[in-house]
Amino acid sequence: MKLKFFGTGTSQGVPVIGCHCEVCDSANRKDKRFRSSALVTTETGKKILIDCGPDFRMQMLTNKEEQIDAVLLTHEHNDHVIGLDDLRPLIFRNGKNIDLYCQKRVGDEIKLRFPYAFADVRYPSAPAFNLHEIEKPFTLLDTEVIPVEVSHGKISIFGYKLKNLVYITDASFISDREKEKLKNLDYLILNCIRKTGLHPAHFILPQVLELFEELKPKKMFLTHISHHLGLHDDMELELPENVHLAYDGLELLL
């Protein structure tokens, strides 16, 4: 089983349109970041997508992936869901709806943004989804999925635990109750938007490092990274041992 980072950037991606800072102008491919998403390949070869943002089509083509069997959604913000329409070629080829798993609130938003996918009489080329509301641990494609509830500013969103890995993006607070799910991990993947300046809806570097010391995963990978965090190679030298910046295309074996 493995997880591949499809994207590790914030809602604007990196480089940011019109920005010429050293990160946005960097020639290092590890400083080029699609919007945050990940692809899990199960032990039986099934493909579970975590979030489907505006870069989904290019993420699939860049990584030479051709199949998605199910989608886990962390929350309803556009940089995590607006690429759902681009699942159409897979839906047409497979001849069946794609299953989406999310909180009820998120599912309601999906219906509002993609009403044509849920119409009683659908346009022939419209996508088609099966929405599944989730709250508790469940089995998906022979894989146990444990939702981890975190706060993203004022809204509750889900991270996901798969085997001994937890993937959390867009968090600004994790309760003590949910932290129990984050102990003794092989991998903790956590959002980190920038080095300094508190953010109302995202962790920044000092907060992330505090969580690393508190939870003590074997390895931590930072994602949902903005150009304000700095150059990938420079940050790798600054970070403590076993804390790393994720980059697009990186794979972790679970």
Side-chain angles (χ1 to χ4, degrees), residues 180-209:
E180 290 298 314
K181 301 174 184 176
L182 310 184
K183 294 181 178 179
N184 303 311
L185 293 174
D186 290 334
Y187 299 110
L188 175 57
I189 299 165
L190 196 59
N191 63 298
C192 182
I193 197 166
R194 60 197 184 204
K195 284 186 177 180
T196 60
L198 290 176
H199 193 284
H202 292 275
F203 287 130
I204 63 170
L205 186 59
Q207 296 170 319
V208 166
L209 296 180

Side-chain angles (χ1 to χ4, degrees), residues 120-147:
D120 292 335
V121 179
R122 287 187 298 110
Y123 186 74
S125 62
F129 306 122
N130 296 324
L131 274 173
H132 304 272
E133 296 173 8
I134 56 173
E135 295 180 359
K136 300 177 181 179
F138 65 103
T139 299
L140 173 59
L141 302 172
D142 298 321
T143 301
E144 184 182 27
V145 178
I146 301 174

Side-chain angles (χ1 to χ4, degrees), residues 50-51 73-75 101-106 133-136 146-150 156-160 167-169 178:
I50 306 179
D51 286 339
L73 298 175
T74 61
H75 64 298
Y101 296 82
C102 57
Q103 297 180 71
K104 181 183 184 303
R105 183 197 76 238
V106 179
E133 296 173 8
I134 56 173
E135 295 180 359
K136 300 177 181 179
I146 301 174
V148 179
E149 187 175 1
V150 301
S156 163
I157 76 167
F158 278 166
Y160 294 103
Y167 179 94
I168 295 174
T169 182
E178 295 301 284

Side-chain angles (χ1 to χ4, degrees), residues 179 188 190 198 203-217 220 222 240 243:
K179 282 179 182 177
L188 175 57
L190 196 59
L198 290 176
F203 287 130
I204 63 170
L205 186 59
Q207 296 170 319
V208 166
L209 296 180
E210 285 181 13
L211 285 168
F212 176 73
E213 291 299 322
E214 176 184 354
L215 299 170
K216 294 179 169 47
M220 173 183 275
L222 310 184
V243 179

Side-chain angles (χ1 to χ4, degrees), residues 84-141:
L84 287 171
D85 188 85
D86 284 336
L87 286 163
R88 284 183 297 150
L90 308 182
I91 295 168
F92 301 156
R93 188 181 69 203
N94 295 335
K96 62 180 183 179
N97 299 6
I98 283 190
D99 294 305
L100 309 181
Y101 296 82
C102 57
Q103 297 180 71
K104 181 183 184 303
R105 183 197 76 238
V106 179
D108 291 343
E109 282 291 328
I110 297 302
K111 291 177 183 177
L112 289 173
R113 293 183 210 179
F114 301 93
Y116 51 89
F118 301 94
D120 292 335
V121 179
R122 287 187 298 110
Y123 186 74
S125 62
F129 306 122
N130 296 324
L131 274 173
H132 304 272
E133 296 173 8
I134 56 173
E135 295 180 359
K136 300 177 181 179
F138 65 103
T139 299
L140 173 59
L141 302 172

